[in-house]
Amino acid sequence: MFRAAFRRLLAIDDPPERTALAFSIGVFIAFSPFLGLHTILATLIAFLFRLNKLAIYTGTFVNNPFLTLVPIIIASYAIGAFVLGEPLRIPDEGLVLLQNPHIFSGDYYRHLFVQSWNIVWPFAVGGIVLSVVCSLLAYPLTLRALRAYRRHKATDAKSV
């Protein structure tokens, strides 16, 4: 699936710099902690900045629920925990709440909400770090691939 989308990405007529930019913005969105909003964000940004939708969607779908979502979530949490200097595990209080649910108690949900920040905060920080790093890597790599593809295509056209 990704390979076919990348082939279509190579065939886009936009300048390579603009296509690489759209793809890298998509990669930024893919690693962002805004789970469930990736496609909406990609669409809004594509329309707002008039970027190629195929390029931004291809970058966004680097994170997909069938293959990469779980590893990205784990990596985001691990990196965030490392950056924040927190242990790489759910705090004991959170485990107790999960092991002994009191679903009809408002107090239970208040405690669960407070404890969830021990997971959400490292995940969000790690997701932002991954977004920045991966999108910064995606731009030059994609630009290089697009330029090489266009050079190859131009030499093939000349030889015919």
Side-chain angles (χ1 to χ4, degrees), residues 116-149:
S116 70
W117 282 108
N118 293 326
I119 295 170
V120 171
W121 182 239
F123 167 73
V125 169
I128 295 298
V129 169
L130 275 176
S131 290
V132 170
V133 170
C134 292
S135 65
L136 288 175
L137 290 172
Y139 180 80
L141 293 174
T142 305
L143 183 59
R144 187 174 185 182
L146 289 167
R147 286 179 175 164
Y149 176 78

Side-chain angles (χ1 to χ4, degrees), residues 72-85:
I72 288 172
I73 289 172
I74 292 169
S76 294
Y77 178 77
I79 289 169
F82 176 76
V83 167
L84 296 171

